[in-house]
Amino acid sequence: MDSLTRLNDIHQNHILLTKATVSFDDRFTLSEIDWTITPEQHWVITGPNGAGKSALAAALAGIGDIQSGSIQGIPNNVEIVSFEAQAELIAQELKKDDADIMDVISLGTPVSEMIFDHCQDTELAQTLVEKFGLSTLVDRAFRKLSTGETRKVMLIRALANKPELLILDEPFDGLDVDTLAMLQAHLASLIDTVPMVMVLNRFDEMPDFITHVAYLDKDRPEKKRGDKQSGDKGRLTLTVDRQDNAAFNELYQLLHLKTTDLSVPEADPTNKLPALDPSQPLVKLTQATIQYGDTVIVDKLDWTIERGQHWQLSGPNGSGKTCVLSLITGDHPQCYTNDIFVFGFQRGNGESIWQIKQFIGYVSTNLQWEYRVSTSCKNVIISGFYDSIGMYTKSTDSQKKIADQWLKLLGMQDRADQPFNKLSYGDQRLLLIARAMVKHPPLLILDEPCLGLDDINRQLVLALIEKICQGSETTVLYVNHHAEDQISGIEHYLALKKNN
Amino acid sequence: MANYFNTLPLREQLAQLAQCRFMHTAEFADGVEALKGKKMVVIGCGAQGLNQGLNLRDSGLDVSYALRPEAIEQKRQSWKNASENGFVVGTYEELIPTADVVLNLTPDKQHTSVVNTVMPLMKEGACLSYSHGFNIVEEGMKVRDDLTVIMVAPKCPGSEVRAEYVRGFGVPTLIAVHEDNDPKGEGLALAKAYAVGTGGHKAGVLMSSFIAEVKSDLMGEQTILCGMLQTGSLLCFDKMVEEGIDPGYASRLIQYGWETVTEALKYGGVTNMLDRLSNPAKIKAFDLSEELKEIMRPLYNKHQDDIMSGHFSQTMMEDWANDDANLLKWRAETAETNFEKTPAGDVEITEQEFFDNGILMVAMVKAGVELAFETMTAAGIIAESAYYESLHETPLIANTIARKKLYEMNATISDTAEYGCYLYNHACVPLLADFMKGIKSDVIGKGLSLDDNGVDNARLIEVNTALRSHPVEAVGSVLRGYMADMKKIV
Ligand SMILES: NC(=O)c1ccc[n+]([C@@H]2O[C@H](COP(=O)([O-])OP(=O)(O)OC[C@H]3O[C@@H](n4cnc5c(N)ncnc54)[C@H](OP(=O)(O)O)[C@@H]3O)[C@@H](O)[C@H]2O)c1
Ligand SMILES: [Mg+2]
């Protein structure tokens, strides 16, 4: 069935990448790309830096070594404009100089030759030369041009060559406003003649005619001992049809999170958490047992979490993951019948749960259910300073400032005053993670933070968590049974079994 | 034992009734310090006992439970509540002698026998605390002179007491010290620390007296809170069916209608509740409520008079002594009413439709709230108390009806409230018989059928002014203001 439809696709001039793994000089590998481009589509490839956007564009132009899988249906006449192609062209020109054995000073290839020898439609080339403002430069040597000018030459060559597939890697980079508008208009006039694939770092530069977006991300290599460092990998993680507004907005947000230079906002300098004794573990459970009547949920568990040890806690449903967490957070009534040491407190000696909770940031699906309050997005973040659901105290200026920074990081600054309960499920989750992190707690507990989220929101959440892990001294306790949702940096694992 | 209130001179009665002060946050700066390291032993592990105990323990206090022997032997629910939550549970003999504070959270009906049993076991100078002052005020319980007697009364069902604490907040709470029993002058400090331990200080604490608490609590619960909602449910349902409205629809409109219209009350008082109606409907509701107030005022006065004179508690205690014959009979009767027996139909009613088609219900809530407030303040109860015991608690009770109709309401409220509710209902249903004859489905079930929404300007201004200038609105907006500073939850 599948191979049949695929066969059909080929007949219909579709470009078809099937589990294509393409390597580029051992430095970079695109892994297992599945992608179909039909003739009437126009794509933007986007993603964080280092994810392989340009590599994927280049692969369509036949560059790179296909290690496995296949790339089919690439037309004969493909034009690519990219920094790499530009660099290569310039290098070729310089080589011509070197190769010149005659003792004459070479003038190099003139621009006119570069353009008109290459293209099929000289009339169009002539028009474009004028439009790009290169008329006065046609007699100059190509290698004497500025980078911006050689880029224009490349664009003219590509456009006037009547390609059957036009690949433009960051075509708008460095163009002045007028030229940019001109180029955009020209591209718009081509939409019925040639499928286009563009690499764009900035979403807001995306032309209106783009119909689809491909999102690439860095592949997190599963570290196996003895593995040779095999360079970075990129993976096509999702494709979005522009008609799908919701998905499109989420992608925008994801890209924002992945590409923004903003880092995790600082903790509140005006209200610091009490200092913890660095020689003590954050958490120590000794023979922890949770039991309802005769049913034992958790059986004599010993567990110590040292500062800076990131943990992943896993186990099937009913194995007591959330119960164990609630022993740590102080939400389980059997806290008081167990030997629990948390943040300097031996539980049951007159400490209040708020003294414990101040050291913990916590996110779970349950919290999201319970967070049914009609408060603003900004207040939801600020409530993290108080460990409360909703806000019952006036917030300080410093807290408000930090909340604004978080909203900015999430790309949600325009939603600061919107009611939390009107947000999408995924956006709510992002805000709750920001809420958990806002005070830079010594321990951040993420109880199945991706549960109930679709693919893109899952990636959004993971992107945010990764950002958090990089930019703080918080110890992360991650609970999940989705093996694919891994967070880099976790090296300790506790697997709970189901007691029967 | 004699009714304590009645032993006081009028001057003292009035002074006690007038006690009620909204306490400042700064007054709770000491937190739970006054109770730190002290042994708190709770008697009874029901709605209040369990939930208050969980909060107090989570606030760092030492809490255990003394249960009656039967409860322990038979592993009753109260025993399960306490032991499954990891509390130490013991007999009176085991735990009471060690207690610095004994929290009496048994049903009010049992207080005399419970207190008489535990008092001899209590150590010298300990503290006895209540969450309702009935035993002291109405039954005149005499507590040993060396013991401190306080009250910490959350103005919410036990489940809310816990839920609000867990989200980092609390419920409004009333505290008092029994002046006859404050030998060491530490009653207030203990009551404040206790209120902090339950989270009440975050939602607002009223400093009151045993007397003001009891007389206002009884009045509120038997009239507007439970009595009016029960009476209104039965009358409105029967009327709708009589008018040919689908019984399933009628049942749903009432079961969820109280909750919806009083939600508006909670946010913005009677004014806001009526503002949710169209102008013609608002004027209609206003007129109906004026009529209702005139008919029901003598009944409200009688309830307040009987509460003040002790007649109410006396008849109720006679029924207690008679194995609750009246209460049980009435309870059975409620279960047999048409409203109770008709399940809510599978129809969708939008939020606004509850207002538009429930004009009479809105009128009943307005009439009940205002009458209860007016009657209480006329009897010397201060406006803040009267507000909490009327308007503030109405949405909370309405929520219980939404859950499982009148059965749930009567199961959740105290026996005292249930008894008062039936007294009210029995008198009020016949009292409104004539009034109900004039009621048609335009004000209950279908909504006004008007060609246009035009109203007379002068009349609308009159109605709006009357609504906004009622004294319950003035005190309400101040108290809600305090609350809103702290609490912004749905
Ligand atoms: N419910 C409310 O909304 C509310 C609000 C504020 C204040 N209050 C006050 O809180 C107090 C407790 O009310 P509640 O609603 O929590 O009562 P409840 O849910 O009925 O619980 C009462 C507890 O007392 C135990 N008990 C009953 N009879 C007893 C006896 N003779 N001796 C010893 N223990 C006995 C019961 O356990 P066993 O039967 O298993 O022994 C049960 O656990 C009352 O003073 C009430 O006015 C209630
Ligand atoms: Mg009450």
Side-chain angles (χ1 to χ4, degrees):
Chain A
M1 176 68 199
D2 194 40
S3 56
L4 223 119
T5 38
R6 298 230 135 200
L7 222 70
N8 248 347
D9 284 349
I10 295 171
H11 287 306
Q12 308 206 331
N13 296 329
H14 294 185
I15 297 170
L16 208 64
L17 285 77
T18 312
K19 293 247 173 294
T21 295
V22 188
S23 69
F24 298 80
D25 299 343
D26 282 348
R27 282 177 293 111
F28 189 84
T29 310
L30 286 170
S31 49
E32 303 194 341
I33 308 285
D34 279 316
W35 190 19
T36 308
I37 303 173
T38 70
E40 71 285 356
Q41 295 177 345
H42 304 287
W43 286 78
V44 155
I45 302 173
T46 188
N49 293 331
K53 300 185 293 283
S54 296
L56 181 59
L60 293 177
I63 300 163
D65 300 321
I66 301 177
Q67 304 289 337
S68 59
S70 64
I71 300 180
Q72 292 162 288
I74 303 283
N76 294 323
N77 190 3
V78 179
E79 280 296 336
I80 179 164
V81 177
S82 67
F83 277 109
E84 286 78 8
Q86 189 176 352
E88 191 161 320
L89 203 57
I90 292 171
Q92 279 172 14
E93 274 301 294
L94 294 175
K95 231 185 233 162
K96 276 187 193 164
D97 269 9
D98 291 344
D100 206 335
I101 39 159
M102 287 182 294
D103 195 17
V104 210
I105 299 163
S106 164
L107 296 171
T109 317
V111 170
S112 54
E113 199 182 313
M114 289 295 289
I115 295 176
F116 295 103
D117 282 11
H118 180 79
C119 68
Q120 305 210 348
D121 189 338
T122 43
E123 208 174 306
L124 174 60
Q126 190 55 50
T127 325
L128 287 171
V129 165
E130 279 156 34
K131 279 191 175 173
F132 273 104
L134 293 185
S135 307
T136 56
L137 300 176
V138 284
D139 296 329
R140 182 125 16 127
F142 178 71
R143 62 180 162 88
K144 292 269 163 71
L145 297 185
S146 73
T147 329
E149 287 158 352
T150 50
R151 167 55 64 110
K152 286 178 187 171
V153 170
M154 294 206 52
L155 282 166
I156 296 169
R157 277 162 51 116
L159 293 169
N161 201 25
K162 301 226 160 169
E164 294 160 283
L165 172 64
L166 181 58
I167 303 166
L168 301 168
D169 187 344
E170 295 288 357
F172 308 129
D173 239 27
L175 294 186
D176 57 75
V177 186
D178 292 341
T179 318
L180 185 107
M182 186 276 294
L183 178 59
Q184 292 224 9
H186 184 76
L187 292 176
S189 74
L190 298 179
I191 54 172
D192 293 328
T193 37
V194 56
M196 288 179 253
V197 176
M198 286 183 205
V199 173
L200 289 179
N201 255 322
R202 292 185 38 198
F203 231 46
D204 45 5
E205 284 180 340
M206 187 162 70
D208 291 338
F209 59 78
I210 293 296
T211 61
H212 289 76
V213 182
Y215 180 81
L216 282 175
D217 204 348
K218 276 185 258 191
D219 200 16
R220 266 178 295 281
E222 281 165 54
K223 249 199 238 155
K224 285 191 209 111
R225 233 172 297 149
D227 246 16
K228 271 198 315 217
Q229 230 5 72
S230 59
D232 291 332
K233 283 186 181 173
R235 197 184 274 279
L236 180 63
T237 53
L238 63 114
T239 55
V240 172
D241 186 332
R242 199 176 190 173
Q243 308 270 297
D244 183 349
N245 262 326
F248 192 75
N249 285 334
E250 284 162 344
L251 181 65
Y252 177 81
Q253 224 175 331
L254 179 58
L255 205 69
H256 171 80
L257 255 183
K258 288 275 196 175
T259 56
T260 178
D261 301 332
L262 298 172
S263 54
V264 170
E266 298 288 318
D268 186 357
T270 65
N271 198 356
K272 290 217 166 69
L273 288 176
L276 291 172
D277 179 349
S279 68
Q280 290 175 330
L282 294 178
V283 174
K284 185 166 196 250
L285 306 181
T286 310
Q287 298 284 293
T289 301
I290 295 176
Q291 190 165 351
Y292 299 108
D294 292 334
T295 316
V296 178
I297 308 289
V298 177
D299 195 15
K300 302 199 197 79
L301 173 70
D302 287 321
W303 189 19
T304 304
I305 301 176
E306 298 286 352
R307 198 188 276 261
Q309 277 185 348
H310 302 308
W311 280 82
Q312 176 156 353
L313 175 63
S314 61
N317 287 330
S319 59
K321 297 188 295 292
T322 299
C323 274
V324 170
L325 295 182
S326 61
L327 285 181
I328 297 172
T329 58
D331 291 321
H332 202 287
Q334 292 178 27
C335 281
Y336 296 92
T337 50
N338 273 294
D339 178 354
I340 299 171
F341 177 86
V342 274
F343 312 108
F345 296 100
Q346 181 66 39
R347 288 306 314 271
N349 285 298
E351 74 294 340
S352 85
I353 52 166
W354 308 109
Q355 283 174 293
I356 308 289
K357 285 182 188 294
Q358 64 179 335
F359 296 108
I360 302 174
Y362 184 78
V363 183
S364 71
T365 314
N366 240 350
L367 175 72
Q368 192 163 347
W369 297 134
E370 282 159 19
Y371 216 112
R372 281 171 292 113
V373 295
S374 66
T375 190
S376 69
C377 293
K378 191 161 161 179
N379 271 340
V380 167
I381 294 183
I382 297 175
S383 71
F385 286 111
Y386 299 94
D387 307 307
S388 62
I389 292 184
M391 274 294 289
Y392 314 114
T393 330
K394 280 208 170 68
S395 47
T396 67
D397 288 346
S398 167
Q399 290 167 343
K400 283 182 200 144
K401 211 175 98 195
I402 294 170
D404 282 334
Q405 291 167 352
W406 276 97
L407 287 164
K408 206 160 158 205
L409 175 73
L410 299 178
M412 293 171 76
Q413 55 271 56
D414 55 332
R415 280 180 268 178
D417 299 318
Q418 281 180 22
F420 176 71
N421 50 17
K422 295 271 150 44
L423 292 187
S424 77
Y425 196 72
D427 283 342
Q428 288 188 357
R429 188 69 57 87
L430 289 175
L431 275 176
L432 289 179
I433 293 174
R435 169 187 179 271
M437 214 23 228
V438 73
K439 59 184 172 178
H440 285 235
L443 183 64
L444 175 65
I445 300 181
L446 303 162
D447 186 359
E448 311 229 28
C450 296
L451 196 72
L453 299 183
D454 61 14
D455 200 41
I456 182 153
N457 278 299
R458 198 187 208 83
Q459 296 199 38
L460 263 168
V461 163
L462 292 174
L464 177 59
I465 293 173
E466 220 145 82
K467 198 139 209 152
I468 285 171
C469 289
Q470 290 159 10
S472 73
E473 292 185 358
T474 291
T475 301
V476 176
L477 167 47
Y478 178 59
V479 184
N480 211 336
H481 47 232
H482 274 279
E484 65 268 28
D485 293 339
Q486 281 182 4
I487 295 177
S488 45
I490 292 191
E491 276 166 353
H492 300 267
Y493 297 88
L494 175 67
L496 293 177
K497 283 196 289 289
K498 199 169 172 158
N499 283 299
N500 282 315
Chain B
M1 289 190 302
N3 184 305
Y4 173 70
F5 181 70
N6 291 347
T7 64
L8 299 177
L10 177 65
R11 168 177 27 81
E12 192 55 30
Q13 287 180 336
L14 291 175
Q16 294 282 331
L17 282 172
Q19 270 189 41
C20 183
R21 177 175 71 81
F22 193 89
M23 297 180 78
H24 201 270
T25 314
E27 295 179 67
F28 299 93
D30 290 341
V32 294
E33 208 47 49
L35 287 169
K36 260 271 148 81
K38 298 209 163 148
K39 266 205 144 353
M40 303 182 80
V41 175
V42 186
I43 313 178
C45 193
Q48 290 294 328
L50 172 63
N51 291 299
Q52 289 188 23
L54 287 168
N55 291 2
L56 292 166
R57 181 174 66 176
D58 278 346
S59 295
L61 299 173
D62 178 355
V63 178
S64 50
Y65 286 82
L67 301 181
R68 51 178 166 172
E70 309 94 279
I72 300 176
E73 283 154 21
Q74 297 164 21
K75 303 198 166 178
R76 284 199 198 147
Q77 190 56 43
S78 57
W79 179 86
K80 285 191 196 136
N81 286 349
S83 45
E84 278 176 8
N85 280 294
F87 288 105
V88 171
V89 182
T91 60
Y92 294 161
E93 288 73 18
E94 285 164 351
L95 293 178
I96 302 290
T98 67
D100 297 298
V101 185
V102 173
L103 289 70
N104 174 14
L105 294 173
T106 59
D108 298 302
K109 199 188 294 184
Q110 310 297 337
H111 282 188
T112 295
S113 97
V114 169
V115 172
N116 282 332
T117 311
V118 300
M119 201 155 44
L121 298 170
M122 285 177 71
K123 76 177 170 196
E124 172 91 18
C127 173
L128 173 65
S129 120
Y130 290 89
S131 282
H132 183 35
F134 190 87
N135 185 230
I136 294 289
V137 175
E138 300 294 318
E139 298 188 279
M141 169 60 68
K142 283 263 170 269
V143 180
R144 235 168 57 199
D145 284 343
D146 61 295
L147 300 178
T148 304
V149 175
I150 61 170
M151 173 168 54
V152 176
K155 293 283 107 190
C156 274
S159 51
E160 303 263 327
V161 171
R162 180 61 180 162
E164 291 299 312
Y165 181 88
V166 169
R167 40 163 96 219
F169 196 51
V171 303
T173 298
L174 199 148
I175 63 172
V177 179
H178 186 34
E179 288 175 3
D180 293 3
N181 280 88
D182 193 13
K184 297 187 271 183
E186 63 179 17
L188 181 58
L190 293 176
K192 283 199 301 185
Y194 180 167
V196 172
T198 58
H201 68 306
K202 294 183 180 170
V205 175
L206 285 179
M207 171 80 204
S208 182
S209 69
F210 271 70
I211 285 169
E213 190 270 339
V214 170
K215 299 294 187 187
S216 59
D217 188 68
L218 290 175
M219 180 62 187
E221 67 192 21
Q222 44 192 259
T223 56
I224 169 60
L225 300 179
C226 309
M228 189 71 245
L229 295 187
Q230 168 140 1
T231 306
S233 298
L234 301 181
L235 291 177
C236 290
F237 182 81
D238 289 345
K239 173 56 70 178
M240 279 191 268
V241 173
E242 181 190 316
E243 288 279 294
I245 287 168
D246 171 56
Y249 179 88
S251 176
R252 176 169 292 271
L253 188 72
I254 294 167
Q255 181 173 350
Y256 300 99
W258 298 122
E259 181 177 58
T260 309
V261 301
T262 59
E263 177 81 2
L265 185 74
K266 170 163 126 187
Y267 277 99
V270 175
T271 304
N272 183 56
M273 179 176 67
L274 267 83
D275 282 352
R276 291 297 306 269
L277 294 166
S278 70
N279 283 330
K282 180 199 267 187
I283 292 172
K284 188 79 199 164
F286 182 86
D287 290 341
L288 287 170
S289 87
E290 289 299 290
E291 217 180 316
L292 283 167
K293 280 174 79 171
E294 194 171 316
I295 303 169
M296 297 191 300
R297 189 179 301 278
L299 179 62
Y300 278 68
N301 284 339
K302 176 171 166 35
H303 273 265
Q304 187 70 79
D305 294 345
D306 287 350
I307 288 166
M308 286 298 181
S309 71
H311 176 76
F312 164 73
S313 48
Q314 190 193 327
T315 36
M316 181 174 67
M317 287 187 280
E318 281 162 16
D319 195 47
W320 291 355
N322 192 23
D323 294 329
D324 300 313
N326 282 337
L327 184 77
L328 295 176
K329 178 166 144 263
W330 292 332
R331 198 180 278 178
E333 281 171 15
T334 299
E336 286 307 306
T337 59
N338 292 329
F339 169 63
E340 209 59 11
K341 288 199 300 195
T342 310
D346 190 13
V347 280
E348 208 200 321
I349 304 183
T350 64
E351 202 234 6
Q352 187 55 41
E353 190 176 335
F354 280 111
F355 288 91
D356 297 340
N357 293 0
I359 297 170
L360 179 60
M361 293 166 74
V362 171
M364 284 175 164
V365 172
K366 173 185 182 293
V369 165
E370 290 181 356
L371 270 181
F373 182 87
E374 289 167 25
T375 319
M376 281 192 247
T377 48
I381 293 165
I382 206 161
E384 282 84 348
S385 273
Y387 172 82
Y388 276 110
E389 300 295 351
S390 57
L391 196 153
H392 167 81
E393 280 201 62
T394 307
L396 297 169
I397 301 296
N399 291 343
T400 66
I401 296 181
R403 258 178 258 144
K404 255 174 144 187
K405 298 195 163 182
L406 301 177
Y407 168 83
E408 177 74 9
M409 176 183 81
N410 285 310
T412 311
I413 61 180
S414 65
D415 285 0
T416 316
E418 195 180 0
Y419 188 89
C421 170
Y422 286 121
L423 280 183
Y424 179 95
N425 185 53
H426 256 244
C428 197
V429 170
L431 188 64
L432 292 180
D434 272 349
F435 168 85
M436 288 303 293
K437 281 190 193 126
I439 294 296
K440 294 277 171 283
S441 61
D442 60 339
V443 293
I444 184 70
K446 287 205 177 129
L448 301 181
S449 55
L450 294 171
D451 295 336
D452 78 303
N453 270 350
V455 287
D456 179 45
N457 277 327
R459 180 68 187 135
L460 183 63
I461 291 168
E462 217 169 72
V463 166
N464 278 334
T465 310
L467 279 173
R468 285 159 172 76
S469 59
H470 192 279
V472 78
E473 296 296 88
V475 66
S477 77
V478 173
L479 291 177
R480 282 194 299 273
Y482 289 140
M483 295 272 297
D485 277 352
M486 302 181 272
K487 169 163 166 155
K488 290 235 171 65
I489 50 172
V490 175

